[in-house]
Amino acid sequence: MTHDSVFPFLTVLVLLPAGAAVVAALVPRNLSERTARLVVSGVGLAGTLATLALAITITVSYQAAGGGYRLVSRHEWASSLGISWHLGVDGISLFLILMAAVLFPLALVSSRVHHQRRAYVAWVLLLEAGCMGSFVALDLVLFFLFFELTLVPVYFVVAGWGFVRRGYAAIKFFVYTFLGSAFLLVGIVALAFIHEHQTGRLTFDLVDLTATHLGLASQVLLFLAFTASFAVKVPIFPFHTWSPDAYAEAPVAGSVILAGVMAKMGTYGIVRFDLTLFPRAVVDLAPLLLTLGVIGIIYGAVVAAATRDLKRLVAYSSLAQLGFIVLGTFALSTQGLSGSVLQMVNHGLIVAVLFIVIGFIYERRGTWQTSELRGLQRGAPVLAAVFTVGMMASIGLPGLNGFVGELLILLGTFLTHRWWAVVATAGVVLAAIYLLWAYQQAFHHEPDPQSPTTRDLSWREGLVVAPLVVIIFFLGIYPKPVLDRITPSVNLLIHRVETATSTHQPSVATGGSHPGTPVRVQVGGSP
Amino acid sequence: MRVLVLGAAAGHLALPRIDYYSVLPELVLLGGALVMLAVSSLMRRDLRSSVTTGLAISAGLASLSLSLLQWFQVSGRGGNPHVTIAGAVVQDGFSALVSVLVSCAVVLSALVMDGWTRREEVMGPELQILMLVSASGAMIMGSANDLVVVFLGLEIMSIALYVLAALNPCREESGEASLKYFVLGAFSSAVFAYGIALVYGATGTTNLPQIADYLARNVLLHDGLLLAGLAFLLVGFGFKVAAVPFHLWTPDVYQGAPSPVTGFMAAIAKAGGFAALLRVFVSSFGLLRSDWQPAVWVMAAITLVLGAVLALVQSDIKRMLAYSSISHAGFVLLGLQAATARGVESSLYYLFVYTFMVIGSFAVVTVIGGRGDRSHDLARYRGLAATHPLLAGSLAVLLMAQAGIPFTTGFLAKLEVISASVGAGSTALAVVAMVSAAIATFFYLRVILFMYTPTGSVLLPAPVGVSTPGSVSGDEGAPLPVGAGTAREELADPFAGGVFAGDLSAGASPASAQGVGGCDVQPAPDTRGDGFGDESDALGGEREVADNAESYPADDDDLFLTGGIASAIALCVAVTVLFGVWPAPVLDFAHRAALLFLPH
């Protein structure tokens, strides 16, 4: 309907990596080994960097005022089914796109693949297309298509280039997430039919469906169906069992993308769809989700403290971090939600640094066991320093990006759900404990005989992690430009939730835009 | 002829005017079969496979174009059904779609059967003749307007299928499958005929619109007879479409029958059975839907769940696909259970796209099965991607489509039936269906995992450029990006074999420790040619067969892939992906067919 831009930025954003994937898959096989490698790597880099350039253009040209969808493009796709190619971006998805666009080229470069480069690059590019599509789709079925499409490349990347138990991890990942999606699809269809019942038009368009009138019971059921799928994808506490296996067995790029980008598809789905479509159910069930988030924070931290395997440790710490994001989301205050959206980006960057560095360590030593790595700092001080930056950001050291996100989340949660915030704060302390423990064991102590001779970062490896480290510092010191773009959209969303449920967040959370309502007040009555 | 004479003698048997044009697609198929039969009995030598295949394909294409012509006429008429031959046959959008579907199945199966007959060196045109006859039966079921004609179509289709199932002369399972199919099929036919009799007893007619009319005009105070008849009809159809609890023949028959026949049977028996089932239940007994919907609900639910769960534990790919086809039948039942125009549309769409998926899958299975058509153990698929990337890629696409991965027709089919089900208020059934779809992904993925047995992991960083010269096969334009040439690296990776032995097939563990090359039933030719049909017997003879003591000819490692099978597979993959990305044509086809079928 509306095209407020001449150039279809978002369509190109989705199709560009997909096209590059096809090109990479079609690189002729009769080339020499060396040429083929160069060509394939070239296609991979060119595809991901072009996407990054496009994402930067989108970010720069993004108009934050009002917080609505920008760069909307909308075409019929399967009209008899009511599915349209409807893409748009707002402050919530903007930086997720940018973060994904930054991570993909780095993930591609950081992983050394010794066989079937062509296929590997093609799958990673296809995965990028799927991720971008999920973040910009404004049609529920289109979102589902991309959401599910990402499973295929991840499956092949994990199963094809992973570690010892890759087959098991890949299938477990696929079946778990597919099972979650089963409920999502039924939920989407059910919502569309309720809408059709009311308006006589079958559509899966998010903007249209937002106007659907839903009773509380159906809101709760649909919310549960949607959230089941997102909870598996994030993963939220009881649905997390696939994630340590998948993260640990995946190759470096797989772990980076899984934890950095794809986990955000779950949290993004909650923000974009649950909060928009089912505000009353969200308010009613927020304590449940907050509790699960807090359990995730504590559980992840405790298990991470007990593990002696660096990769699994990061996997579990990631579970705890994602718990914070869930916490901030369901706090339903501007600060909490802004913090969550920011933390989605932060967590992607932090976990990428950690997984990439762990990948480098593995290339040198062939192990992730902290006990076998002792004293790594002796031979590889720069590598240790980069790991320290990632670790400190993960702990939430002021001046690094993790601090900003966690602080906003805890502040926002404290205003609306005090006790959950109190318990969650313990998670910050635990994170410091287990990460510093692991750091001590792996990097300090009496060096292992191999440690002093371990190579430090090469300039190429340094180039891979440098952008991430720079962004981590930048966001930690000056997050304003990012928050300025996130906040209008978050305000819009919170406002929608509040009008639909007649609840109000404390005025402090927004800087006083709702004067006279110091605590959450249930005005009563239903819209 | 005798009927004609009798009629003339009795003087009062009025022969209906036969509108040959309306049944022309059926007649073309039957005619093709008769021509082949006549020529082959007149010729001294056996007909060459190329001749019979050519004839079958031409018959299929002719009936395809005639069906499309009928379709355009029907839509040109604005959808008014055209009832001919004394109300026995109807020509509407629904029947045209079924005819198109069956014709496509004929063409594709003819191509696959051609390759099979060449490989097995089976002489004679029986396979193609029976296939054409069977297909005409399915078509008749699609256009039947009378329960008796439904029964006729059912029998024409089934009897040919019984014989087809027995047509593998070198396997005794084939005969066993045929007998099992025949006994259970004959039993179900009897039940079906009894159902017709009861319905006739209750309503006084077997004509479908008249039954609907009767039910609309009369309120049956004692409808036990009618409901009993309805139940018997449902049981009869349940056998044909392999719905639980009438599915027991399916795995054995699918496993025993020659692989191309299995694919054909899966497509045709489902299409014909469901076409008649939808027409009879939704249009004639639509008013009684509150009576039969609960039964179909239960049937659909257990079909979905049992099909998916039992497929998990199969180690034979044909049995696995048999259970998967049972699960698919459950999905089609979702559309029936909805009993709305959207439901019919979704079922038709599902059947249409499933035809291509299942025939394509069984075409690949035919190729992998090797000479004798008996190596269907899943272990045989290990490492297939390394030796035959195109074949593995095609099977991967088709299996993913069956699993319902986005941007394939399989996903849209599932979305359609789910929509129909939710739209009709059966949300719980839709949830059951999606959960069973999630369970089903496990076994589809298992096959894909076997084919793409991952190699050369980062665990053992091999020197860069490890693949030996010549190990890269020339499969330009592979549909899936996973490439070729890795069996050697597999040998260098002791973990890969162990992982899969432990995880997936305990039976193969001793061999798999040596990697893919020395694996027990792994065909993996050591030389790599063009990816297909390479001439290699390097490993021949040193394999042992999984569950069969007979030894193979030494050249069994050579996968026999003719241009016919290759093009059939390519067509199936192309349709599955193309209409998954560009869904409008087929969706509209099914949509309008259903609208034309159910007048508002």
Side-chain angles (χ1 to χ4, degrees), chain A residues 161-425:
Chain A
W161 291 270
F163 294 88
V164 184
R165 293 169 71 223
R166 60 196 167 209
Y168 168 76
I171 285 197
K172 189 172 177 183
F173 157 76
F174 198 107
V175 174
Y176 267 60
T177 34
F178 205 87
L179 192 64
S181 308
F183 295 96
L184 176 61
L185 184 62
V186 176
I188 289 174
V189 171
L191 176 64
F193 273 96
I194 295 174
H195 182 79
E196 190 197 26
H197 200 70
Q198 290 171 1
T199 63
R201 200 167 69 85
L202 180 64
T203 178
F204 290 99
D205 196 293
L206 178 65
V207 180
D208 294 345
L209 290 177
T210 311
T212 314
H213 300 289
L214 294 168
L216 185 59
S218 40
Q219 279 211 12
V220 167
L221 281 176
L222 288 170
F223 172 81
L224 290 177
F226 275 62
T227 311
S229 166
F230 298 141
V232 173
K233 197 82 161 195
V234 175
I236 295 176
F237 165 65
F239 307 102
H240 66 282
T241 51
W242 62 269
S243 73
D245 285 318
Y247 289 3
E249 303 302 328
V252 178
S255 311
V256 169
I257 302 305
L258 266 173
V261 182
M262 289 183 65
K264 307 311 172 309
M265 285 163 52
T267 48
Y268 168 78
I270 291 176
V271 175
R272 168 71 76 233
F273 298 105
D274 281 350
L275 263 57
T276 311
L277 292 168
F278 319 118
R280 291 173 63 200
V282 167
V283 170
D284 277 20
L285 293 178
L288 173 70
L289 270 298
L290 287 167
T291 310
L292 291 181
V294 170
I295 294 177
I297 293 171
I298 304 297
Y299 173 84
V302 169
V303 179
T307 183
R308 292 285 165 269
D309 176 320
L310 271 186
K311 209 171 178 188
R312 280 187 180 264
L313 181 127
V314 175
Y316 279 107
S317 89
S318 176
L319 182 64
Q321 297 271 317
L322 291 164
F324 276 106
I325 296 176
V326 174
L327 192 71
T329 305
F330 284 95
L332 298 176
S333 61
T334 305
Q335 283 179 349
L337 192 54
S338 301
S340 276
V341 175
L342 181 63
Q343 190 68 358
M344 288 185 211
V345 179
N346 291 340
H347 174 248
L349 299 167
I350 295 168
V351 89
V353 168
L354 291 177
F355 273 130
I356 288 175
V357 170
I358 288 172
F360 292 155
I361 295 175
Y362 190 85
E363 276 178 13
R364 289 163 170 74
R365 303 287 293 272
T367 181
W368 300 306
Q369 295 298 322
T370 48
S371 52
E372 293 171 36
L373 289 173
R374 292 190 322 267
L376 206 56
Q377 199 178 22
R378 181 78 58 92
V382 182
L383 188 141
V386 174
F387 190 85
T388 313
V389 171
M391 183 184 73
M392 288 304 176
S394 187
I395 294 171
L397 190 75
L400 299 175
N401 63 352
F403 172 74
V404 184
E406 272 181 18
L407 183 73
L408 280 173
I409 289 172
L410 288 173
L411 276 179
T413 313
F414 190 80
L415 291 173
T416 56
H417 298 83
R418 183 162 305 169
W419 291 107
W420 282 276
V422 169
V423 180
T425 313

Side-chain angles (χ1 to χ4, degrees), chain A residues 29 37 77 112 115-116 119 122-123 144-145 148 152 155 159 162 164 166 168 171 174 178-179 182 189-190 193 202 362, chain B residues 342 405-406 411 419 422 434 438 442 445 449 454-459 464 473 475 481-483 486 489 496 499 503 581:
Chain A
R29 273 150 215 280
R37 241 188 40 235
W77 186 55
R112 287 169 188 255
H115 65 100
Q116 300 193 23
W123 284 128
F144 185 83
L145 280 167
E148 291 289 278
V152 180
Y155 170 79
V164 184
R166 60 196 167 209
Y168 168 76
I171 285 197
F174 198 107
F178 205 87
L179 192 64
V189 171
F193 273 96
L202 180 64
Y362 190 85
Chain B
R342 181 178 290 281
I405 300 294
F411 170 77
S419 302
V422 172
M434 283 315 292
F442 180 81
L445 286 179
L449 191 62
T455 53
S457 75
V458 276
L459 194 65
V464 177
S473 45
D475 58 335
V482 173
T486 48
E489 294 150 36
V499 172
D503 270 344
V581 178

